[in-house]
Amino acid sequence: MASLPKSALQVAVVTSAFSVIVWRVLQQPLSLSRGFGLLLATAAFCLWITARIQLGDSFSVRARAKALVTRGVYSKIRNPIYVSGTLFLAGIVIALGHPEFLALELILIPMQIVRARREARVLEEKFGAAYREYPRERWF
C-alpha cells in the first residue's frame, strides 16, 4: 500500500484540528462576533489548504528553495500560508470569544515578516532574476 503524500497528511491533521475548534465554538451561543470569527477562520482555513496543496513538495518549515511556485494562490499572494495562518488565528480568537488574545498577532506578524524575508533571500539566491520578478505584482 502506498503511503500518503506529506501534504495530504498535513492537510488531514490541520483539518481535524479545525473541526475540533469549530465544534468547540458551536457549543456556545452564536453571536455576531462569533459568527464573524468563524467565517474569517473558515475562509482563512480554505486559503491555507489551497496554498498548502499548491505548494506541494516545496513546503518546508525552514526556508528551502526546491521550486519557485507562482501558480494558483501564489500568483496573487507571495506568502499565502503566512497570511492565511495569521487570519485563521484571528478568526479563531474572535470565534472563541477572547478578542484580548488578538495581541498575539503583535508577536506573530513580525515573526511572519522575518520568515518571509528569510525565505525571499533563499529563493532569490536559488532562482535569481526569476524570483526578483515574482514579487513585483504580488501582495506580501
Side-chain angles (χ1 to χ4, degrees):
M1 182 172 158
S3 63
L4 282 174
K6 185 169 48 170
S7 61
L9 184 58
Q10 290 170 345
V11 167
V13 168
V14 172
T15 301
S16 297
F18 180 66
S19 299
V20 169
I21 292 168
V22 168
W23 177 81
R24 172 72 173 101
V25 169
L26 294 177
Q27 298 302 305
Q28 303 167 15
L30 196 60
S31 65
L32 184 60
S33 64
R34 286 188 198 283
F36 171 76
L38 197 53
L39 182 63
L40 178 60
T42 301
F45 176 75
C46 291
L47 177 62
W48 184 90
I49 292 286
T50 301
R52 178 59 192 91
I53 290 169
Q54 290 173 352
L55 194 55
D57 290 337
S58 294
F59 177 82
S60 66
V61 175
R62 292 181 177 258
R64 282 192 248 156
K66 291 182 181 179
L68 183 58
V69 178
T70 60
R71 67 187 186 289
V73 176
Y74 289 87
S75 70
K76 303 294 181 201
I77 305 172
R78 281 182 284 162
N79 299 289
I81 289 182
Y82 299 155
V83 171
S84 60
T86 301
L87 291 173
F88 177 76
L89 178 60
I92 292 302
V93 164
I94 294 167
L96 290 173
H98 293 286
E100 65 275 12
F101 290 121
L102 286 175
L104 291 172
E105 299 281 359
L106 298 174
I107 298 167
L108 180 64
I109 291 171
M111 287 174 57
Q112 299 294 44
I113 291 170
V114 168
R115 288 180 69 193
R117 287 180 178 162
R118 185 177 307 128
E119 184 177 282
R121 283 192 301 273
V122 169
L123 289 168
E124 184 175 3
E125 194 174 286
K126 169 89 178 208
F127 300 108
Y131 180 75
R132 283 189 295 277
E133 183 66 28
Y134 173 69
R136 290 195 178 139
E137 296 183 20
R138 286 151 187 95
W139 180 71
F140 183 71

